[in-house]
Amino acid sequence: MEFIEQSGVKVPNSVIVSGIAGSSIEEEVLTFLKKYGSINRTFMVDDPTSELHSNLIVEYTYGTAMQILEPMLPHTQTLSDESNSRYCVSALANVYCQKVGGSVTQTYLGELKRVAKLSGKDFEEMLKEALAQIGESVEASELADQKRSPEQSKEYRQLGSSPLLLLDIPREPESYKTDTTPLIIPPLSPVQKVIPSLDPGAINPPEVQKLVVEHIVRSEEKSSYAHLSLRLRTFSGKNPRPYSEADYDTWRSHVDLMMNDPSVSEIEKTRKIIESLLAPATDVIRHLGPEASPTCYLQLLDSAFGLVEDGEELFARFMNTLQNMGEKPSAYLQRLQLALSLAVRAGGVSADNADKHLLKQFCRGCWENSLLVDLQLECKRDSPPPFAELLLLLRTAEDKQEAKTLRMKQHLGAVKHKASLHQHSACECDETPTNSTQGEMIELKKQVAELKSQLTLMMTKKQERKALSRTEPSKREQLKKAETQKPDHVKKECKSPTFHC
């Protein structure tokens, strides 16, 4: 709409004609419009960037022409030539308000959002303040209307409160026959010189009111629903952990989601955190007080109940995590993901390389080589899939394998084995053994005889050893008795080395 502002068109006294293509059509349109009043000027919108490009704007000299023509607008008429083309006549004021009013409203709201973002205030509160200021200005204008004299107020109501109608001064006389009729301009009365006040509808357009109300209602519904549904699980820090409570990692993940929610205020976050804690966790944060920020609470709870292991140690534990006996590959992958997330949180490994390390360790610790070959996971190390995609691949492969195994059991279990009879018969053969077989038999008999002789020799030696072990104790007793019966000088001599005795 910059073209209209630059050309200085009187918007209340103008109409816009669309569907014009040719000088003959333009002349016919002007002939039609001259019936309602004298035309001041006409020009074609030749700006290609304008929304009204290739449209004809006709400006009347007086506003009375628009008062007569306005009830008929928008007006569509067919040309009298053979083309049967149509043109449409509309009030420029209506088109201008629709185009410019909507853009101004959006610009105003956009600037208001930008100011709210820079200042850190709530957009809803700033909208309420703006509406309050608009309401004050409307009340001031109403008070000004009440201070007018009754005659001025009556004349003002007759003229209309729209600024567009009050700008159509001077007026064209109502009685005229053709455009060549001399114009009789009546003198301006003092009442017409009254400066009109702004219309409440112009100050606060219905579009703005509707947008503000919808935003307030939606924001209130979202905030109320979020506050009602948002509830953290309880955490106490007891060891062993009660069944009804969450561990610290689970509780901390829920708190992170609440901290990232912009609809929850800082005071509400602090209140939710305090309500979800039980002793002894409440004793840790008791000295902070309710005026502390939720970040201070979380830092203190992390130091008391969070992980204290080094990131490198957690990553080493992740590298030593292998598949257990009877564990499914998908369950093993989930266990790896949990160990890797702890290492990432502690700073043992970067989050960008998490998928690469996860696939590498899975190929290293999974014992089902057939699954790795079928899915070609070794070839995907350079461009590893994300955890969700890899888990879906494993579960799909496991489901196919289980379904195949079930079909095999059902098929093999349904087949009944037929009974078969095996018959063995023996017959006498008249064939005599050859010389080679006789020699082998003789050789085998010799070996058996040698083995028997060796066995008997070993048995006799074993019996002699047993007999000797039985007789040895009696010989020892005889030697002891002989030593006791020897004279004393022989005993003294026996104290010397054994070879003298």
Side-chain angles (χ1 to χ4, degrees):
M1 297 299 175
E2 295 180 357
F3 179 81
I4 297 176
E5 297 176 0
Q6 294 174 0
S7 60
V9 182
K10 292 183 180 179
V11 177
N13 296 359
S14 303
V15 294
I16 183 168
V17 184
S18 59
I20 291 184
S23 58
S24 60
I25 300 176
E26 184 176 350
E27 292 178 359
E28 185 175 349
V29 171
L30 294 177
T31 303
F32 169 75
L33 294 177
K34 284 180 181 179
K35 297 178 182 179
Y36 302 95
S38 61
I39 297 176
N40 184 19
R41 56 174 176 168
T42 61
F43 52 90
M44 187 73 67
V45 181
D46 54 358
D47 187 6
T49 60
S50 177
E51 298 178 357
L52 305 177
H53 181 58
S54 300
N55 292 341
L56 179 65
I57 295 178
V58 180
E59 180 182 343
Y60 285 103
T61 307
Y62 302 100
T64 54
M66 287 299 301
Q67 292 180 4
I68 299 172
L69 189 59
E70 190 172 4
M72 301 169 57
L73 301 179
H75 177 70
T76 304
Q77 188 169 349
T78 306
L79 297 176
S80 59
D81 56 0
E82 298 178 356
S83 61
N84 293 328
S85 59
R86 294 185 178 184
Y87 63 90
C88 180
V89 182
S90 303
L92 184 59
N94 296 337
V95 178
Y96 187 79
C97 290
Q98 291 177 0
K99 301 292 183 181
V100 178
S103 61
V104 168
T105 303
Q106 296 297 330
T107 305
Y108 173 71
L109 294 176
E111 290 293 328
L112 199 61
K113 287 181 181 179
R114 186 179 65 84
V115 173
K117 184 177 181 180
L118 293 176
S119 61
K121 292 184 178 180
D122 190 9
F123 177 61
E124 179 182 346
E125 296 178 358
M126 294 193 68
L127 278 177
K128 291 180 179 179
E129 293 177 359
L131 290 175
Q133 294 177 1
I134 294 172
E136 292 176 359
S137 62
V138 172
E139 292 177 359
S141 63
E142 291 178 353
L143 291 175
D145 293 341
Q146 293 175 2
K147 291 180 181 179
R148 291 196 188 95
S149 61
E151 296 179 357
Q152 292 178 348
S153 300
K154 182 178 180 181
E155 182 68 21
Y156 183 76
R157 288 193 297 270
Q158 290 177 357
L159 293 174
S161 61
S162 175
L164 300 177
L165 296 177
L166 293 172
L167 292 175
D168 298 338
I169 299 173
R171 297 177 180 274
E172 186 180 3
E174 297 180 358
S175 59
Y176 64 89
K177 296 180 181 179
T178 59
D179 296 337
T180 59
T181 304
L183 298 175
I184 301 174
I185 302 174
L188 296 177
S189 62
V191 178
Q192 291 176 337
K193 296 180 182 179
V194 177
I195 300 175
S197 62
L198 293 176
D199 185 20
I203 297 174
N204 191 9
E207 295 82 3
V208 177
Q209 295 180 2
K210 182 179 179 182
L211 184 62
V212 171
V213 171
E214 288 179 356
H215 175 76
I216 293 173
V217 171
R218 289 176 182 176
S219 60
E220 288 180 354
E221 288 179 356
K222 290 181 180 179
S223 60
S224 61
Y225 177 76
H227 293 167
L228 291 175
S229 61
L230 180 60
R231 184 178 180 182
L232 298 176
R233 294 184 63 182
T234 56
F235 172 74
S236 63
K238 294 180 181 179
N239 193 11
R241 178 176 60 88
Y243 177 75
S244 60
E245 295 181 4
D247 57 347
Y248 185 73
D249 293 336
T250 305
W251 180 84
R252 190 70 167 80
S253 62
H254 293 173
V255 174
D256 291 339
L257 291 175
M258 182 188 67
M259 295 294 291
N260 295 329
D261 189 358
S263 63
V264 184
S265 61
E266 296 294 323
I267 299 176
E268 189 70 17
K269 293 176 183 178
T270 304
R271 186 173 67 85
K272 292 291 183 182
I273 291 174
I274 295 176
E275 289 178 353
S276 63
L277 295 178
L278 300 175
T282 53
D283 300 334
V284 177
I285 61 171
R286 193 180 301 277
H287 66 279
L288 292 178
E291 66 277 359
S293 62
T295 307
C296 299
Y297 284 96
L298 294 179
Q299 289 178 355
L300 191 57
L301 291 172
D302 288 340
S303 61
F305 304 102
L307 293 174
V308 295
E309 293 180 310
D310 189 13
E312 295 181 356
E313 295 180 358
L314 292 174
F315 184 68
R317 183 185 300 176
F318 163 74
M319 295 298 295
N320 293 328
T321 303
L322 304 176
Q323 185 180 7
N324 297 327
M325 182 66 69
E327 186 180 16
K328 291 184 177 181
S330 59
Y332 171 58
L333 181 65
Q334 296 179 20
R335 195 158 53 90
L336 279 179
Q337 175 65 18
L338 179 60
L340 183 61
S341 61
L342 296 177
V344 171
R345 184 183 300 177
V349 62
S350 62
D352 298 335
N353 298 328
D355 294 335
K356 186 176 181 180
H357 288 293
L358 181 64
L359 180 60
K360 182 179 179 181
Q361 180 59 26
F362 180 79
C363 296
R364 178 173 170 267
C366 183
W367 311 124
E368 298 186 12
N369 296 325
S370 59
L371 180 65
L372 301 178
V373 173
D374 294 340
L375 299 179
Q376 297 180 357
L377 297 180
E378 294 287 349
C379 302
K380 298 180 181 179
R381 288 192 176 186
D382 295 334
S383 57
F387 168 70
E389 183 179 350
L390 182 58
L391 182 60
L392 181 61
L393 289 175
L394 293 177
R395 293 189 60 192
T396 304
E398 291 173 357
D399 185 66
K400 289 181 179 179
Q401 185 64 29
E402 290 178 358
K404 185 176 181 180
T405 305
L406 181 61
R407 289 196 304 270
M408 181 183 67
K409 290 181 179 179
Q410 292 177 353
H411 176 70
L412 296 179
V415 175
K416 296 181 179 179
H417 298 281
K418 296 181 179 180
S420 59
L421 178 63
H422 299 280
Q423 183 179 1
H424 299 277
S425 60
C427 62
E428 296 181 359
C429 299
D430 297 334
E431 297 181 356
T432 57
T434 59
N435 295 329
S436 60
T437 57
Q438 290 180 357
E440 291 176 359
M441 292 293 292
I442 294 171
E443 185 69 24
L444 288 174
K445 289 180 179 179
K446 290 181 179 180
Q447 292 178 1
V448 170
E450 291 179 357
L451 290 173
K452 286 183 178 181
S453 61
Q454 293 177 2
L455 183 60
T456 53
L457 182 60
M458 290 174 63
M459 292 297 292
T460 54
K461 289 182 178 181
K462 188 175 181 181
Q463 291 177 358
E464 290 178 357
R465 288 175 184 175
K466 288 182 179 180
L468 183 61
S469 61
R470 293 176 183 175
T471 56
E472 281 181 356
S474 60
K475 290 182 179 180
R476 290 176 183 175
E477 291 177 359
Q478 293 177 2
L479 290 174
K480 286 181 179 180
K481 290 180 180 180
E483 288 178 358
T484 53
Q485 293 176 1
K486 287 181 181 180
D488 295 335
H489 65 276
V490 177
K491 292 181 180 179
K492 292 179 181 180
E493 290 179 357
C494 289
K495 292 179 181 180
S496 59
T498 55
F499 58 85
H500 290 291
C501 296

